[in-house]
Amino acid sequence: MRFSVLGPVEVRSADGEVVHVGGPRPRAVLVMLLLTPGRVVGLDRLIAGQYGDDPPAEAANAVQSQVSRLRRALGGLVEFSGGGYRIAVEPDDVDSHVFERLALDGRRLLAAGRVADAAAVLREALGLWRGPALADLPHGDARVARLEEVRLAATEDLVEAEIASSDGSPVARLRSLVERHPLRERFREQLVRALHADGRTAEALAEFEDARRFLADELGADPTPGLAAAHLAVLRAEEPAPVVRRVPPAQFTSFVGRDDEVARLAAERARLITVSGPGGTGKTRLAVEFAGRDACFVDLSAVDAADAVPLAVLAALGLRASGFRPGPTDPVERLVAALDHDLLLVLDNCEHVVAAVAALVRTLLARCPRLRVLATSREPLGLTGETLLPLEPLAAATPDSPAVRLFADRAAAVRPGFRVDHDTADAVVAVCSALDGLPLAIELAAARLRQFTVAEIAGRLVGHGRFRLLSRGDRTAAERHRTLHAVVAWSWDLLDERERVLARRFSVFAGGASLAAVEEVCGDEGEVLADLVDRSLVTLVDGRYRMFHTIRLFCAQRLAEAGEEEELRRRHAAHYLALAQRADPRLRGADQLTWLARLSAEHDNLMAALRWADRETAMRLVAALAAYWWLSGRRGDVGEVAAALLAGDLPPGLEEEYVSCVVHASPRPAAEHWDRARRLVESREMRYPFGLALWGMVAGPPDDPAADAGKLLGDDPWNAALSRFSAALLAVLGGRVADGERGMREALDGFRALGERWGTAQALDWLAQIAGWRGEWSSAHKRWAAALELYEQLGATEECAELRCHRGRCLVRQGDLDAAQAEFTRAAALFARPAAEAVLGLGEVARLRGDLKAAGDLLGQAYAEEGGAEWMTARALTALGRLAELSGDHVEAVRRHDEALAVVRTPVLAAELAGVVEGRAGAALSDGSGERAALLLGVAVALRGTAKAGDPDVARVAAGARELTGAEVFAEAYARGAAMSRDEAVAVAGV
């Protein structure tokens, strides 16, 4: 059968007959299954697609009925598997998947210069669309936007092919496209070039001016380099040239001389390709041009340790490297989960971490069958199945060779109007030949035209002894390093003294710098920095100044030779400490996302400052950045540094900084550090409120909260909101739910008034949990949905995972085990490492379904991974006790329940103690003591401050106790326990 979803869903048999699949809801289910043909779609996903976030109680049965109708219509193609359904068809049977494949093929053909073939393939792809994508989904799908984006990109590529092949004039169509998509600059660029190709120069110039004004008015932005280049071509009356591939935004120069290599990459089907060759040959640029917008690009040049390679890939994918949980993390497993789809992963600059890259690539390719990898390195990765693309220097022997064309292009940028003609051809060929056709060296040489003629450059280059190595032809690794070093040294020699001072000082920055940072750290007011930009030693990209890595290494050596390294590093660390301290309060307000983005842009500099700062400055950085490490998911990056800072005596005045290092240190510090940190927290006021919040989450509540909570925080609005939240949380955990709920609402109002997302989501999460205890299911799920949206805005993956666990426990009490399992499964995938809370939830679902073998494995894993949190230990032990009861091992059950009681026998954790007491009630029932079981169930209510609606374990024990004692005795014992004071309940719980 053939399936169409690019428009109203349509099914046709092998002979072309239309197959009717029923009404709107069966069609919607069919579309959701066809989006991932051959793969299981969970029942919860099907329900959400049908009914949104608030499905009716009978939603699962309704979906099952719709699936049955599909099965009858499709002859059994829809199959049940585990917790969901799959449709047994191939991707090529579904038009959306065929469309994406054809769009990619068309782009590759276009990149290879086969414009006629590309146009034919792209027309076939776009011809599959019959209307809006996935039109039958009542609640939409994120993939609609992705399909529409691929459709627009394919349209752009088709227009590009038509312009390149002169296959009619696309001007009329482009005008319509620009009108419908005014912010899509590639259409505007293509319209300018198409008008120019038609000889309508005045209209082309007018169109550019309209585009420029529109972008300035709407976005406050200038035209992109591609649109500006099209305008310049019109002004110069140049013959319009076809553009094979659009230059990515980070690239600000044209791509010259590598058409054959791009074509080979486009034709190559191997899953691992390594572009190899000497430094300076353009490996990175080739990879960027080939990959375009269809790949994930990872620059490893700043990675200085083998274990940082997976973290760099995670960062490029936009994923949190680790969560805020003690213990080891496994970024490779996160990558395996994230890369299970069609993707080209580009790993750039691998040579200095080649062994680590090889190990990571082997794992990813083995476990992610739809992944392709394109690596650039000075040496192969050395893996079986690796396809090498050796990148040779550009040919440079003739005036029309690629190297000469590259020189001419770059020279024209610094000396407008420069051309290689009869007077300059020999000198340009001499320069390019002396540089062995190395693109980087050629670009640096061309930049010198600002001060010298081509003949002068050729004379300096050929006559200078230090450049003789460039023409030897020896391509060994050490030789390649010396060759590139000589190119940079030659450029260095042409700088005046002020430029040299700034160039060597600029090398202190890792990952670039803002103008303000350069002025403060290096002592430059911008004038000399602009000269370095002109001379291509520094680049300006998106408002940040950057230095090529090789040039930076060279300049760093000059900095050390000048004796300035220690002073510049001190200034650098002081600047970024001041930035961190300025950012800290702004991370607790409405500007939270803006400042997170600003600190993220400076992440490399912040880590560099941590590494080379003195101990006092480094400790201050860890504390000032506590909110940033947490909210951006980068706590794992600082773990080793924080652990190292704990060694030695505590510097006076840095008590709070010491506490922050204890919280962030990895591996988890010794108990003596935690004891010392707790004493410090309980004896002083904290300057960094977020640090206090993190301490509470990691170390748990104080032994005497009433005595300490009032003096820990200052009186700014966020502190006040956090103080109310902390007091409310302690009330909830202590069994005073009504008081806690009132305080939590006040905290929510405080966080919302500030526009602060994290605190707002925390309060919403706890209010949802309280509503769930009372059986107010709709209210609970609405609050969780609002909290989840806020966490997702922050990129707080681990909080999203914890919230899904909370929602999963509520769904268990609602009796929807399928939905609960789906939530726990999602949570397990989001956690940075196997997390006890999610695994425990899956184990409880298995136990309630009667699968004792799976439950035992999962609960045992949860207990082994609980990480030291008292509440988690108690829950895991209680679950193991209940499992032992079901298995008939009464002795083991009692032992587990006693162990759980020993962990949380404290009024501070009365709510958790209530769960343990409910477990002990089950053990009492197994002993035949129905009255004791009833009493303990009542005690649990007294401890928690409320009954827990729908709990299946409580319901099971209550039913058994009534049967043993009779309803009257049960009610009397239960009421007696529920009426106890908290202290009485704690005492009874321990008997």
Side-chain angles (χ1 to χ4, degrees):
M1 289 186 178
R2 307 291 294 180
F3 300 85
S4 301
V5 296
L6 298 178
V9 68
E10 183 179 275
V11 182
R12 290 186 179 272
S13 63
D15 56 5
E17 293 292 325
V18 174
V19 177
H20 297 285
V21 293
R25 295 205 181 276
R27 291 201 302 272
V29 170
L30 177 60
V31 171
M32 285 184 277
L33 295 175
L34 290 173
L35 288 174
T36 54
R39 298 177 65 184
V40 175
V41 180
L43 181 60
D44 63 304
R45 179 69 177 271
L46 296 174
I47 292 172
Q50 288 273 32
Y51 303 101
D53 292 331
D54 193 14
E58 69 281 8
N61 291 334
V63 170
Q64 290 168 357
S65 174
Q66 293 149 19
V67 170
S68 296
R69 295 176 65 184
L70 284 177
R71 281 176 165 171
R72 289 194 297 271
L74 301 179
L77 287 178
V78 179
E79 302 170 352
F80 176 78
S81 179
Y85 299 89
R86 64 184 288 269
I87 185 164
V89 299
E90 296 297 324
D92 277 351
D93 296 328
V94 185
D95 63 348
S96 62
H97 299 281
V98 174
F99 163 71
E100 291 192 79
R101 175 176 58 78
L102 290 174
L104 183 58
D105 288 344
R107 172 160 292 186
R108 288 171 174 164
L109 289 167
L110 186 60
R114 297 167 56 185
V115 292
D117 293 339
V121 170
L122 290 166
R123 289 192 188 102
E124 180 184 353
L126 293 168
L128 295 172
W129 285 73
R130 300 172 295 104
L134 317 185
D136 291 273
L137 291 184
H139 293 276
D141 191 285
R143 283 164 288 195
V144 174
R146 185 176 66 80
L147 284 168
E148 289 293 343
E149 173 58 30
V150 177
R151 182 185 191 181
L152 286 172
T155 304
E156 291 171 339
D157 290 339
L158 176 57
V159 172
E160 200 69 60
E162 291 173 345
I163 294 175
S165 62
S166 301
D167 186 10
S169 175
V171 169
R173 182 148 58 99
L174 280 168
R175 287 198 187 281
S176 176
L177 289 168
V178 167
E179 182 178 354
R180 282 182 284 141
H181 308 283
L183 292 177
R184 206 160 181 97
E185 291 192 60
R186 193 177 180 195
F187 285 143
R188 292 183 177 274
E189 173 196 340
Q190 291 171 330
L191 179 54
V192 170
R193 293 195 289 111
L195 288 166
H196 181 37
D198 284 355
R200 299 154 68 175
T201 301
E203 290 181 62
L205 293 174
E207 181 60 37
F208 173 81
E209 187 60 24
D210 289 343
R212 185 193 63 76
R213 283 197 301 268
F214 180 85
L215 293 171
D217 292 341
E218 293 294 322
L219 303 178
D222 293 326
T224 57
L227 183 54
H231 177 239
L232 184 61
V234 177
L235 291 176
R236 292 177 174 176
E238 293 176 350
E239 193 68 25
V243 178
V244 173
R245 182 170 293 279
R246 185 177 178 85
V247 178
Q251 303 299 313
F252 50 90
T253 56
S254 59
F255 185 58
V256 179
R258 297 297 190 191
D259 293 346
D260 290 343
E261 288 83 354
V262 170
R264 179 177 170 186
L265 284 175
E268 183 58 64
R269 297 298 180 184
R271 295 184 62 211
L272 170 60
I273 306 172
T274 300
V275 180
S276 62
T281 51
K283 300 183 295 295
T284 296
R285 187 58 186 273
L286 175 63
V288 167
E289 292 295 330
F290 170 72
R293 292 169 295 178
D294 299 323
C296 174
F297 188 87
V298 186
D299 182 8
L300 298 174
S301 61
V303 174
D304 56 7
D307 58 1
V309 172
L311 299 178
V313 181
L314 281 171
L317 289 166
L319 298 176
R320 285 160 56 103
S322 68
F324 190 76
R325 293 182 176 272
T329 62
D330 190 358
V332 175
E333 292 299 320
R334 296 278 287 136
L335 287 173
V336 169
L339 293 171
D340 187 23
H341 58 90
D342 291 322
L343 181 70
L344 175 63
L345 180 65
V346 180
L347 302 176
D348 187 41
N349 295 309
C350 300
E351 53 270 0
H352 59 299
V353 284
V354 66
V357 172
L360 177 62
V361 168
R362 180 186 293 277
T363 298
L364 294 180
L365 290 179
R367 299 178 61 186
C368 305
R370 298 161 67 186
L371 177 70
R372 297 180 69 216
V373 175
L374 174 62
T376 74
S377 177
R378 296 189 188 183
E379 62 179 294
L381 301 189
L383 295 178
T384 301
E386 179 182 26
T387 295
L388 295 180
L389 175 59
L391 197 60
E392 299 295 335
L394 296 173
T398 63
D400 61 349
S401 61
V404 173
R405 286 192 283 115
L406 176 62
F407 184 97
D409 182 87
R410 301 302 187 259
V414 298
R415 183 176 290 183
F418 176 85
R419 291 179 181 275
V420 177
D421 53 23
H422 181 270
D423 295 328
T424 60
D426 290 344
V428 173
V429 170
V431 168
C432 294
S433 296
L435 296 175
D436 274 354
L438 291 172
L440 176 59
I442 291 169
E443 291 184 340
L444 292 172
R448 296 306 103 204
L449 274 181
R450 185 177 175 87
Q451 295 115 350
F452 303 100
T453 67
V454 180
E456 288 172 340
I457 292 174
R460 285 171 174 261
L461 182 60
V462 175
H464 206 296
R466 74 183 65 190
F467 295 107
R468 292 174 183 169
L469 289 174
L470 290 171
S471 60
R472 289 186 178 180
D474 185 353
R475 308 271 183 227
T476 65
E479 185 83 0
R480 289 197 296 268
H481 174 73
R482 291 195 297 270
T483 295
L484 198 53
H485 186 273
V487 172
V488 182
W490 169 78
S491 182
W492 174 269
D493 287 342
L494 296 176
L495 300 178
D496 62 32
E497 184 57 28
R498 290 196 312 156
E499 292 168 343
R500 291 182 184 181
V501 169
L502 180 57
R504 69 180 182 237
R505 290 180 176 177
F506 189 91
S507 68
V508 78
F509 292 105
S514 65
L515 178 59
V518 176
E519 290 174 345
E520 182 175 337
V521 175
C522 301
D524 177 63
E525 296 181 357
E527 180 181 349
V528 179
L529 182 61
D531 291 339
L532 292 180
V533 173
D534 286 343
R535 286 151 179 74
S536 297
L537 285 172
V538 173
T539 61
L540 178 60
V541 181
D542 296 332
R544 289 180 64 79
Y545 293 89
R546 298 179 181 274
M547 184 176 275
F548 288 120
H549 184 58
T550 303
I551 299 173
R552 177 172 170 257
L553 292 177
F554 178 94
C555 293
Q557 186 177 356
R558 305 288 85 74
L559 183 69
E561 292 170 355
E564 294 184 307
E565 185 176 36
E566 183 176 347
E567 171 61 18
L568 263 293
R569 288 184 170 185
R570 184 194 64 77
R571 290 188 206 171
H572 177 276
H575 171 81
Y576 285 102
L577 174 59
L579 174 65
Q581 292 172 335
R582 191 163 67 252
D584 175 66
R586 293 169 173 84
L587 291 175
R588 303 193 298 275
D591 294 333
Q592 195 171 44
L593 297 182
T594 299
W595 279 86
L596 274 176
R598 183 170 179 181
L599 291 176
S600 294
E602 299 289 1
H603 183 72
D604 290 340
N605 280 310
L606 294 171
M607 294 303 301
L610 268 176
R611 286 193 297 268
W612 61 47
D614 60 78
R615 187 183 180 208
E616 177 178 335
T617 301
M619 292 179 74
R620 293 185 188 279
L621 270 169
V622 172
L625 291 168
Y628 166 66
W629 305 129
W630 175 239
L631 295 177
S632 67
R634 290 184 168 96
R635 174 182 175 264
D637 293 6
V638 72
E640 291 184 7
V641 177
L645 292 172
L646 295 176
D649 296 333
L650 174 60
L654 294 181
E655 291 81 6
E656 184 172 355
E657 287 75 8
Y658 170 82
V659 171
S660 191
C661 289
V662 171
V663 169
H664 288 94
S666 179
R668 185 179 175 90
E672 62 191 65
H673 287 293
W674 288 98
D675 293 341
R676 185 182 194 181
R678 184 181 292 278
R679 290 194 299 270
L680 291 171
V681 169
E682 295 176 353
S683 64
R684 59 181 287 110
E685 184 173 325
M686 307 288 277
R687 300 187 308 280
Y688 295 110
F690 208 96
L692 180 65
L694 300 188
W695 171 261
M697 285 187 285
V698 174
D703 294 333
D704 186 3
D708 297 310
K711 66 181 181 181
L712 292 177
L713 297 172
D715 57 1
D716 76 64
W718 194 87
N719 291 359
L722 180 62
S723 180
R724 287 192 290 271
F725 175 81
S726 301
L729 181 56
L730 289 173
V732 172
L733 295 176
R736 295 180 287 110
V737 174
D739 293 343
E741 186 173 21
R742 283 193 298 272
M744 203 66 72
R745 291 182 185 275
E746 293 174 0
L748 176 62
D749 292 340
F751 286 127
R752 276 180 167 165
L754 293 169
E756 198 279 309
R757 295 163 180 80
W758 181 83
T760 301
Q762 288 278 319
L764 283 169
D765 184 15
W766 276 100
L767 286 169
Q769 291 186 69
I770 293 169
W773 289 347
R774 290 197 296 254
E776 297 169 359
W777 313 125
S778 178
S779 175
H781 287 296
K782 285 180 181 178
R783 287 168 175 164
W784 273 318
L788 186 62
E789 182 179 356
L790 293 172
Y791 283 145
E792 288 174 343
Q793 289 177 16
L794 289 169
T797 309
E798 188 131 332
E799 286 90 337
C800 291
E802 291 174 347
L803 184 149
R804 289 190 178 280
C805 288
H806 302 162
R807 194 154 65 181
R809 292 199 299 273
C810 180
L811 288 166
V812 167
R813 296 195 301 276
Q814 287 180 253
D816 193 343
L817 294 183
D818 288 344
Q821 180 172 5
E823 290 290 354
F824 291 128
T825 301
R826 289 172 183 167
L830 288 172
F831 277 118
R833 65 184 181 89
E837 190 171 3
V839 177
L840 175 62
L842 291 169
E844 291 281 59
V845 169
R847 177 178 61 83
L848 291 169
R849 282 176 165 162
D851 188 348
L852 302 190
K853 174 63 170 63
D857 294 341
L858 289 166
L859 296 179
Q861 180 185 348
Y863 180 63
E865 294 171 350
E866 48 80 23
E870 293 175 345
W871 62 271
M872 191 63 244
T873 304
R875 289 183 186 179
L877 288 167
T878 297
L880 288 168
R882 285 172 171 155
L883 180 64
E885 292 170 26
L886 291 177
S887 302
D889 191 342
H890 180 66
V891 174
E892 173 67 7
V894 171
R895 184 177 73 85
R896 290 298 192 182
H897 290 310
D898 287 346
E899 289 176 347
L901 177 64
V903 173
V904 292
R905 190 186 296 173
T906 167
V908 176
L909 292 174
E912 293 298 335
L913 179 58
V916 173
V917 170
E918 288 165 347
R920 290 173 63 84
L925 181 64
S926 298
D927 273 338
S929 178
E931 184 175 355
R932 174 67 175 169
L935 176 68
L936 288 176
L937 290 179
V939 167
V941 173
L943 289 168
R944 188 180 292 109
T946 181
K948 195 163 59 173
D951 190 308
D953 291 303
V954 171
R956 174 179 59 82
V957 174
R962 283 193 190 92
E963 185 176 344
L964 282 177
T965 63
E968 185 175 343
V969 174
F970 173 87
E972 188 278 330
Y974 181 88
R976 182 160 27 98
M980 290 182 180
S981 68
R982 189 174 63 164
D983 290 342
E984 289 173 330
V986 171
V988 171
V991 175

